[in-house]
């Protein structure tokens, strides 16, 4: 019997569509407990959206937390030295509060992680799957991409102290030129340096267009040159596979330099102001957890999809069966079972007011049509 998409909410539809898609690329389902030891999260709290967690003490006296994140658990359960990268996907609920939000929420997520000895192909594969995931949800999507190496390389070239990276990036994320100018003024940076940093704020466009514009600025430093070359290679691969039209370069995409080491990206859908997908390459996070390997992945926030409105079916049911006190219930139940076996949605009601159905069967009065 085929799955009836009309009975599923937007987030549930997305899970079913993407699950098979990820498995075709060799990703396997990762299933975790609803909670982990609190210590795992508190040691890596800067990696989390919020450090506020719901905690409890278990029968052993160990402080536990309802999981606010899935990636940390996947890293924890990944062994080093396996042949080839570990490729997993997940459908999980996390429990956390948003930034500046006092209320805890249950947030449905689906996503994937690729952890191990990674090369350019693996980075491309995850980016391509992010694009394909957005496209499967809606044709009106955008994937904004940045690169930690390029951003930090620009700041090094401008002479920005590492302690000031956070202040500069706050201005970049907000696309606030006034704040960036105020920073440059306070540090006595030259007009040439200001112009270089301003590119971090003003740059936006298709990867191909922006990379051509940035090429002259990325030939000097090793870090910027390598980041530019990686972005250029990824751009070529996306374009060659028909996936590059809606991928844009935007340095305001947030990626904590203490955890992310390369590509970072965020996906958006039309009519939703918040991003529905976020991901990137987090080698530094894996290293902080004592494992020497690469890692890249993304998560899709299914709760955000519900803001687009529920997926309303055109009909309340395929078949409406009307009955009354004279109806033979054996006939009624047999008819309902037969319709269910055919994969049809059926309702049994005493009246039809307010319902939209494809067909109506009237068993009132004890008759059997």
């Amino acid at each position: 019997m085929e799955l009836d998409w009309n009975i599923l909410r937007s987030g549930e539809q997305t899970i079913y569509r993407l699950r098979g898609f990820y498995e075709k690329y060799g990703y396997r389902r990762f299933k975790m407990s609803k909670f982990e030891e609190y210590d795992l999260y508190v040691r890596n709290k800067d990696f989390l959206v919020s450090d506020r967690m719901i905690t409890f003490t278990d029968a052993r006296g160990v402080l536990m937390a309802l999981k606010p994140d899935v990636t940390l658990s996947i890293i924890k359960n990944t062994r080093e030295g396996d042949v080839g990268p570990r490729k997993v996907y997940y459908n999980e609920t996390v429990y956390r509060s948003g930034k500046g939000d006092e209320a805890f929420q249950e947030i449905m997520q689906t996503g994937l992680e690729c952890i191990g000895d990674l090369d350019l192909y693996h980075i491309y594969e995850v980016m391509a799957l992010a694009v394909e995931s957005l496209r499967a949800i809606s044709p009106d999507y955008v994937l904004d991409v940045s690169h930690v190496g390029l951003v930090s390389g620009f700041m090094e070239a401008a002479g920005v102290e590492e302690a000031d990276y956070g202040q500069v990036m706050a201005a970049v994320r907000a696309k606030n030129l006034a704040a960036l100018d105020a920073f440059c003024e306070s540090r006595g940076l030259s007009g040439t340096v200001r112009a270089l940093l301003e590119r971090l704020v003003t740059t936006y466009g298709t990867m191909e267009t922006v990379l051509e514009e940035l090429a002259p600025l990325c030939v000097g430093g090793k870090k910027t040159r390598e980041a530019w070359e990686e972005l250029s290679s990824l751009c070529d691969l996306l374009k060659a596979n028909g996936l590059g039209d809606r991928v844009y370069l935007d340095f305001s995409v947030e990626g904590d330099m203490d955890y992310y080491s390369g590509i970072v990206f965020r996906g958006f859908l039309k009519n939703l102001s918040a991003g529905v997908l976020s991901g990137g390459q987090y080698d530094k996070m894996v290293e902080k957890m004592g494992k020497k390997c690469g890692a890249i992945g993304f998560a899709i926030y299914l709760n955000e999809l519900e803001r687009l409105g529920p997926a309303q079916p055109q009909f309340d049911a395929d078949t409406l069966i009307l009955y009354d006190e004279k109806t033979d219930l054996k006939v009624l139940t047999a008819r309902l079972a037969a319709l269910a076996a055919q994969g049809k949605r059926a309702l049994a009601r005493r009246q039809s007011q307010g319902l939209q159905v494809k067909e109506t069967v009237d068993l009132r009065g004890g008759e059997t049509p």
Side-chain angles (χ1 to χ4, degrees):
M1 183 174 67
E2 292 186 3
L3 177 66
D4 186 349
W5 292 102
N6 289 320
I7 66 174
L8 300 178
R9 299 166 64 189
S10 297
E12 293 170 329
Q13 290 184 11
T14 299
I15 287 174
Y16 276 98
R17 286 193 178 102
L18 297 183
R19 181 171 65 184
F21 182 54
Y22 298 154
E23 288 184 350
K24 289 179 182 178
Y25 282 83
Y27 289 79
R28 295 292 176 259
R29 174 81 181 272
F30 175 83
K31 181 67 178 173
M32 64 176 290
S33 170
K34 290 185 180 296
F35 43 83
E36 285 268 16
E37 292 188 9
Y38 175 72
D39 185 58
L40 171 67
Y41 301 121
V42 78
R43 284 188 282 109
N44 301 286
K45 62 181 180 180
D46 291 339
F47 186 70
L48 304 175
V49 173
S50 170
D51 61 359
R52 296 181 63 244
M53 288 166 266
I54 300 173
T55 61
F56 65 95
T57 302
D58 69 7
R60 303 168 298 165
V62 177
L63 188 62
M64 308 293 288
L66 286 178
K67 64 175 184 285
D69 177 83
V70 179
T71 301
L72 291 174
S73 293
I74 293 176
I75 297 173
K76 173 187 170 185
N77 289 282
T78 297
R79 297 174 304 188
E80 291 183 83
D82 287 346
V83 177
R86 184 186 188 199
K87 300 165 67 172
V88 299
Y89 74 92
Y90 58 85
N91 305 311
E92 295 286 346
T93 300
V94 297
Y95 306 85
R96 64 182 181 222
S97 60
K99 293 181 178 179
D101 189 353
E102 294 299 319
F104 282 96
Q105 301 177 22
E106 287 184 282
I107 302 172
M108 291 192 303
Q109 288 186 355
T110 190
L112 57 82
E113 310 290 347
C114 184
I115 305 175
D117 185 13
L118 307 185
D119 56 29
L120 182 66
Y121 167 74
H122 298 112
I123 297 170
Y124 161 76
E125 180 183 82
V126 172
M127 282 189 67
L129 289 173
V131 173
E132 295 275 24
S133 297
L134 291 169
R135 191 159 68 175
I137 298 168
S138 168
D140 295 316
Y141 71 89
V142 168
L143 185 73
D144 287 343
V145 178
S146 183
H147 197 294
V148 172
L150 200 59
V151 172
S152 60
F154 269 33
M155 288 196 283
E156 286 179 10
V160 177
E161 298 290 336
E162 190 170 345
D164 292 329
Y165 282 8
Q167 186 175 347
V168 173
M169 285 309 300
V172 173
R173 283 192 292 271
K175 292 190 177 292
N176 190 337
L177 277 174
L180 189 60
D181 286 341
F183 168 80
C184 292
E185 185 72 30
S186 68
R187 300 298 189 272
L189 301 178
S190 68
T192 302
V193 169
R194 290 189 189 192
L196 181 61
L197 292 178
E198 284 177 0
R199 295 305 297 267
L200 296 176
V201 175
T202 59
T203 292
Y204 189 79
T206 63
M207 286 184 72
E208 186 175 22
T209 300
V210 172
L211 287 170
E212 289 179 3
E213 295 174 356
L214 295 180
L217 303 176
C218 299
V219 295
K222 181 176 183 291
K223 183 180 290 187
T224 52
R225 184 177 66 254
E226 289 179 349
W228 185 92
E229 289 174 351
E230 183 174 67
L231 284 169
S232 183
S233 296
L234 291 168
C235 177
D236 290 344
L237 286 169
L238 289 167
K239 184 179 177 181
N241 289 282
L243 300 175
D245 291 346
R246 292 179 176 269
V247 182
Y248 290 76
L249 204 58
D250 182 359
F251 295 131
S252 70
V253 175
E254 187 171 1
D256 192 320
M257 294 181 185
D258 289 334
Y259 297 98
Y260 290 93
S261 53
I263 293 288
V264 289
F265 47 85
R266 194 161 180 84
F268 298 86
L269 300 181
K270 185 178 180 180
N271 298 325
L272 289 179
S273 58
V276 299
L277 181 151
S278 66
Q281 193 174 353
Y282 52 93
D283 297 4
K284 291 182 179 180
M285 177 72 250
V286 178
E287 184 179 349
K288 284 177 180 288
M289 293 182 67
K291 299 181 180 182
K292 297 179 180 179
C293 58
I296 185 171
F298 62 81
I300 300 172
Y301 307 109
L302 300 174
N303 291 47
E304 291 296 327
L305 302 184
E306 304 302 330
R307 298 178 188 274
L308 292 173
Q312 294 288 355
Q314 183 180 359
F315 296 98
D316 297 299
D318 296 311
T319 303
L320 170 65
I321 302 180
L322 295 173
Y323 71 97
D324 60 15
E325 64 279 356
K326 294 183 179 180
T327 301
D328 185 336
L329 293 184
K330 292 181 180 179
V331 174
L332 172 64
T333 53
R335 184 64 65 88
L336 288 169
L339 290 168
Q342 297 170 27
K344 293 185 177 182
R345 293 180 299 134
L347 291 175
R349 293 286 190 274
R350 288 181 175 272
Q351 69 282 326
S352 61
Q353 287 86 344
L355 295 175
Q356 295 291 326
V357 296
K358 296 179 181 179
E359 64 173 351
T360 300
V361 175
D362 195 343
L363 298 182
R364 291 175 298 186
E367 298 181 5
T368 306

